[in-house]
Amino acid sequence: MLGRLQSLGHWALGTFERLGRASTLLLSILAGLPGLLLRPRLLIQQTFSIGVLSLLIIVVSGWFVGMVLGFQLYNTLVDFGADASLGPVIALTLVRELGPVVTALLFAGRAGSALTAEIGLMKATEQLSGMEMMAVDPIKRVLAPRFLGGVISMPLLAAIFSIVGVYGGYFVGVGLLGVDKGSYWAQMQSMVDFHDDVLNGIIKSVVFGVVATWIAVFEGYDAVPTSEGVSRATTRTVVHTSLAVLGLDFVLTALMYGVS
Amino acid sequence: MTTPLVEIRDLHFARGSRPIFDGIDLDIHRGKITAIMGPSGTGKTTLLKLIGGQLRPQSGRVTVDGRNVHTLRHGELYELRKRMGMLFQSGALLTDLDVYENVAFPLREHTDLPEPMIRDLVLMKLEAVGLRGARNLMTNELSGGMARRVALARAIALDPMMIMYDEPFTGQDPISMGVLVKLIRSLNDALGLTSIIVSHDVQETAAISDYIYLLSGGKVVAHGSPEELEHSSSEWAQQFLQGLADGPVPFHYRAVPYADDLLAGRETGGAR
């Protein structure tokens, strides 16, 4: 019994210590952001490799999710004679929920894991230490541009996911199942509100962007500098980001739509 | 006599509960090559990290060029590091850049020099290590010895006052070892550097150093010029320089007596 209590205490202390280290790292990264304005090339490079190179998986997933939504929602709506509402229902599902959440989950797998592995290996091969001895702060030179690149990329990727999804739904609903083209778009236009739906979706994806990139960068920087350590850190990035995104999505949804 | 470039006084450092340095005093004199030698695990690399301010000691003082490294603010420490080069055992080259860009890296980070001047400087530093022709290679195309020479070119890019070499000869074939030995000595003399070499390659290091400190068990056990140490009566010095298995440095890691250890297995049923 005492042993269990002890290991629980150890676990709690370890967790809080890591949280503390992660928070200090985030503060140092934030302090390094203004300096990035003078070196836009670093930021563009990272936004390219984190954002642009993730486009393919985001576009393909968005298209398929949109098509599946088209089939599923049509089947339900048609029973109530409401198939003309297919457009707004697909759009709301994507903009409010699936866009930000699925993009963040895909982002963790595609870009987050790559960030962790890259930074972890740089640590293991003494590149970060070498930079420090060259009087170059790795937090400002390596971590800050990657962090900001991720935070910028996430809302853009989520927006692209939602747009492509809406067209996927259109392809199935209007193209294959015969929903009226005019009502697909017109109802979407009248029922999707910019403030309640689009803006809330953007807020979600910005929050997910900060959290996902923060976790990825921290896990890499904090990794045990061995091959096993980097592999564990990469796994942790994907698992922790996914859990954090799902948890935060619940909290944000409750705050945004739960209490009226 | 001028003041030493690096002064270490009563330095104590421990990793967790394991003490690494137990009150050491060292002086690194300007313009000289000073070797710090000792068996593996005596904290030689740790000492370099303490001098470079990457680690903090529990007590004691490390002064570089008259400034106490561990009381400096972040910005001041980084200013000081611009004048300290360090050659890591692995080379620590940036793997996403080619040889040219690796050497140009500190110049681009710390100066606003125009591109033609950066090119000239990079080519001069690469010429000094004999790798001007390899400037377009990526780091994964370099042999171990070449990587260390590129790292050396990068370390001297900002014309530092001192260079710290971490095990520069480990895992090198005789030719690249000879090249590195010659390079370290000639760069030190030609550029007026101060060099600190951490190594356990006795012959090579002794051949080029002006002064040697021998570390063991967290203390300086012997020091002097290579000739003095060769004729020293210190058992430590003799054991280390001649590579003897028996002597003050024990072959066995600390353990309970052998017979007790073997008999204990029967009582505990084989538990480790």
Side-chain angles (χ1 to χ4, degrees):
Chain A
M1 181 64 196
L2 207 61
R4 270 192 204 164
L5 210 62
Q6 203 174 20
S7 60
L8 186 74
H10 259 297
W11 175 82
L13 280 179
T15 309
F16 279 113
E17 200 195 329
R18 273 173 70 77
L19 259 177
R21 279 206 303 275
S23 310
T24 343
L25 182 72
L26 183 65
L27 288 180
S28 315
I29 291 176
L30 293 177
L33 292 183
L36 263 184
L37 296 176
L38 299 173
R39 311 186 61 178
R41 253 190 65 189
L42 277 182
L43 180 61
I44 293 170
Q45 243 173 18
Q46 290 309 322
T47 315
F48 179 81
S49 72
I50 296 170
V52 178
L53 297 183
S54 306
L55 263 180
L56 184 69
I57 188 169
I58 294 293
V59 168
V60 173
S61 313
W63 180 256
F64 276 94
V65 168
M67 289 201 300
V68 169
L69 280 178
F71 279 121
Q72 295 283 12
L73 294 173
Y74 177 84
N75 279 331
T76 314
L77 290 170
V78 82
D79 290 344
F80 301 98
D83 52 324
S85 304
L86 185 66
V89 180
I90 286 181
L92 289 177
T93 317
L94 283 169
V95 171
R96 285 178 171 194
E97 281 302 327
L98 292 186
V101 173
V102 177
T103 306
L105 297 178
L106 291 171
F107 182 91
R110 161 64 182 78
S113 57
L115 277 178
T116 305
E118 187 190 11
I119 297 170
L121 280 174
M122 285 180 89
K123 184 179 180 187
T125 51
E126 293 186 310
Q127 293 183 51
L128 298 183
S129 205
M131 271 191 197
E132 277 180 14
M133 282 310 296
M134 283 188 279
V136 175
D137 188 347
I139 295 183
K140 288 187 182 137
R141 178 64 173 68
V142 177
L143 268 51
R146 283 165 175 75
F147 177 77
L148 192 57
V151 173
I152 292 175
S153 301
M154 181 76 86
L156 296 175
L157 290 173
I160 293 170
F161 183 95
S162 297
I163 293 167
V164 174
V166 165
Y167 277 100
Y170 175 85
F171 172 73
V172 167
V174 178
L176 303 182
L177 302 173
V179 173
D180 181 56
K181 180 181 166 186
S183 56
Y184 187 88
W185 293 122
Q187 289 217 25
M188 192 187 295
Q189 225 171 8
S190 67
M191 286 183 67
V192 177
D193 182 71
F194 179 76
H195 182 266
D196 283 353
D197 306 317
V198 179
L199 196 63
N200 280 345
I202 294 175
I203 292 173
K204 275 187 181 180
S205 63
V206 172
V207 172
F208 297 162
V210 171
V211 171
T213 329
W214 176 24
I215 291 178
V217 166
F218 170 70
E219 288 292 355
Y221 194 67
D222 201 52
V224 179
T226 59
S227 22
E228 197 205 357
V230 175
S231 124
R232 275 167 186 257
T234 313
T235 313
R236 267 203 307 270
T237 292
V238 178
V239 174
H240 288 184
T241 307
S242 308
L243 294 178
V245 163
L246 295 171
L248 275 171
D249 181 53
F250 174 77
V251 174
L252 287 172
T253 308
L255 287 176
M256 288 167 177
Y257 307 103
V259 193
S260 54
Chain B
M1 197 166 176
T2 54
T3 53
L5 182 65
V6 180
E7 263 183 310
I8 296 176
R9 291 289 173 269
D10 196 27
L11 186 76
H12 286 79
F13 180 79
R15 277 190 194 278
S17 59
R18 195 166 73 95
I20 309 277
F21 297 126
D22 191 12
I24 60 168
D25 297 300
L26 276 178
D27 282 337
I28 312 281
H29 288 281
R30 291 171 199 269
K32 305 278 186 214
I33 297 183
T34 306
I36 294 163
M37 298 167 95
S40 306
T42 39
K44 301 187 295 293
T45 306
T46 308
L47 186 64
L48 292 188
K49 291 196 165 174
L50 283 161
I51 296 175
Q54 287 187 303
L55 294 172
R56 298 186 75 81
Q58 269 78 35
S59 70
R61 183 164 57 89
V62 178
T63 358
V64 176
D65 201 22
R67 316 194 65 183
N68 186 339
V69 175
H70 299 100
T71 56
L72 291 179
R73 294 148 63 94
H74 189 261
E76 292 171 331
L77 178 62
Y78 271 59
E79 277 306 312
L80 185 63
R81 280 186 189 160
K82 285 184 195 169
R83 302 194 289 137
M84 302 159 97
M86 175 141 172
L87 190 76
F88 284 82
Q89 199 175 342
S90 61
L93 295 173
L94 301 170
T95 44
D96 55 338
L97 304 177
D98 62 11
V99 167
Y100 180 97
E101 285 300 324
N102 260 293
V103 180
F105 183 81
L107 296 167
R108 291 193 199 287
E109 289 292 321
H110 295 307
T111 68
D112 290 321
L113 293 175
E115 207 50 40
M117 196 176 280
I118 287 188
R119 181 176 186 276
D120 289 350
L121 282 171
V122 170
L123 294 190
M124 280 159 64
K125 305 298 173 188
L126 282 174
E127 176 71 16
V129 299
L131 290 176
R132 189 166 45 84
R135 71 188 115 164
N136 292 325
L137 295 183
M138 288 308 285
T139 51
N140 58 3
E141 296 171 296
L142 301 173
S143 69
M146 284 162 86
R148 257 172 240 186
R149 280 151 71 191
V150 174
L152 185 51
R154 186 177 68 174
I156 57 171
L158 289 172
D159 293 325
M161 58 182 178
M162 63 182 273
I163 299 199
M164 299 186 274
Y165 297 91
D166 186 5
E167 301 282 3
F169 310 120
T170 308
Q172 300 292 315
D173 65 69
I175 299 175
S176 43
M177 183 115 83
V179 170
L180 277 168
V181 168
K182 202 166 154 277
L183 256 179
I184 292 175
R185 182 78 244 184
S186 58
L187 282 178
N188 190 77
D189 298 344
L191 303 178
L193 296 166
T194 302
S195 306
I196 307 175
I197 304 178
V198 147
S199 178
H200 47 229
D201 292 287
V202 175
Q203 299 306 325
E204 291 72 21
T205 315
I208 51 166
S209 31
D210 299 307
Y211 206 80
I212 298 178
Y213 282 93
L214 267 182
L215 298 184
S216 185
K219 290 193 180 300
V220 174
V221 287
H223 60 99
S225 67
E227 297 76 36
E228 283 168 13
L229 281 185
E230 206 178 318
H231 302 111
S232 133
S233 56
S234 154
E235 282 181 43
W236 293 95
Q238 290 309 322
Q239 186 195 0
F240 188 74
L241 295 177
Q242 295 176 29
L244 305 174
D246 255 339
V249 178
F251 167 71
H252 287 287
Y253 196 80
R254 269 194 318 265
V256 296
Y258 191 33
D260 293 354
D261 216 359
L262 289 176
L263 290 172
R266 298 194 186 168
E267 288 157 22
T268 57
R272 286 204 291 173

